[in-house]
Amino acid sequence: MSLHAELLKQALHLARKEPKKPTQASLRRSISVAYYALFHHLVDEATKFMLSGSRQNMRDCLARAFSHSNMKQTSKAFSQGTIPTRLNYGFSQGRIAQPLINVADAFVQLQEARHDADYNRAYRVTRREAVDLAELTARAFQDWRQVRGSTEAEVFLIGLLAYQQIHA
């Protein structure tokens, strides 16, 4: 099982593990793990796209170059429904497919929820919120499968790594 699939499974487990009175620690950890499941899934997809074949060591090295802020900026831009100008070199397509918009939007939502869960001591999480966010991650995985390999998805993957370094 892949790391991202294991993380998603763990997020769902943490959200549901205490049947009567879930602890904030379990619910917060569930949200954080759900975010990291999508983070690692997208990084894995990007490194496989950029380095094909049996180059796992190179992909592992490249994976370390992805930044959370760069990935969020790219995701915010794609969640608006069009290819951002800085990534639109020679790519002339109108709207982005809805499944890719969903993936991008899920990434932004999950990262913001993870920040609250990890750093906002006043934040109180309900089981429903934790389960909903884990399920959002699962839907993002499904949505990604629908667009994987498309030109717009590949542009998205490039943006996840290099959005801030590409100048319009």
Side-chain angles (χ1 to χ4, degrees):
M1 184 181 289
S2 64
L3 174 61
H4 55 270
E6 289 175 8
L7 290 169
L8 177 56
K9 184 177 175 181
Q10 183 180 53
L12 286 163
H13 170 74
L14 287 168
R16 297 175 175 147
K17 81 176 212 155
E18 295 143 339
K20 294 191 187 237
K21 194 171 180 185
T23 65
Q24 284 297 297
S26 293
L27 297 176
R28 286 167 175 259
R29 196 75 212 129
S30 171
I31 291 169
S32 187
V33 172
Y35 164 73
Y36 279 108
L38 185 55
F39 173 87
H40 285 292
H41 184 42
L42 293 174
V43 168
D44 188 54
E45 290 290 311
T47 60
K48 284 178 181 174
F49 165 66
M50 294 173 196
L51 292 168
S52 62
S54 59
R55 298 178 171 168
Q56 187 60 49
N57 289 345
M58 288 182 177
R59 283 197 301 271
D60 291 342
C61 182
L62 181 61
R64 301 285 297 150
F66 286 80
S67 76
H68 298 275
S69 63
N70 205 56
M71 291 176 73
K72 184 177 180 182
Q73 277 189 297
T74 302
S75 294
K76 271 189 168 181
F78 273 76
S79 70
Q80 301 304 310
T82 57
I83 301 288
T85 304
R86 68 176 57 202
L87 294 174
N88 205 0
Y89 291 98
F91 183 72
S92 58
Q93 182 174 338
R95 305 271 313 150
I96 295 172
Q98 189 61 49
L100 184 53
I101 293 170
N102 296 346
V103 170
D105 188 54
F107 187 87
V108 172
Q109 286 182 57
L110 286 159
Q111 191 183 90
E112 290 172 354
R114 182 194 69 87
H115 275 263
D116 277 337
D118 288 352
Y119 305 116
N120 182 351
R121 291 173 50 129
Y123 180 59
R124 293 293 172 251
V125 185
T126 66
R127 181 190 314 273
R128 183 76 261 150
E129 289 170 305
V131 169
D132 285 350
L133 289 166
E135 289 174 350
L136 177 64
T137 302
R139 284 191 306 277
F141 284 15
Q142 292 169 353
D143 285 332
W144 179 256
R145 281 192 291 276
Q146 292 180 47
V147 295
R148 184 176 192 238
S150 69
T151 301
E152 62 190 354
E154 291 171 350
V155 171
F156 177 72
L157 294 173
I158 291 167
L160 293 177
L161 177 63
Y163 187 80
Q164 293 173 350
Q165 290 73 34
I166 298 172
H167 301 287

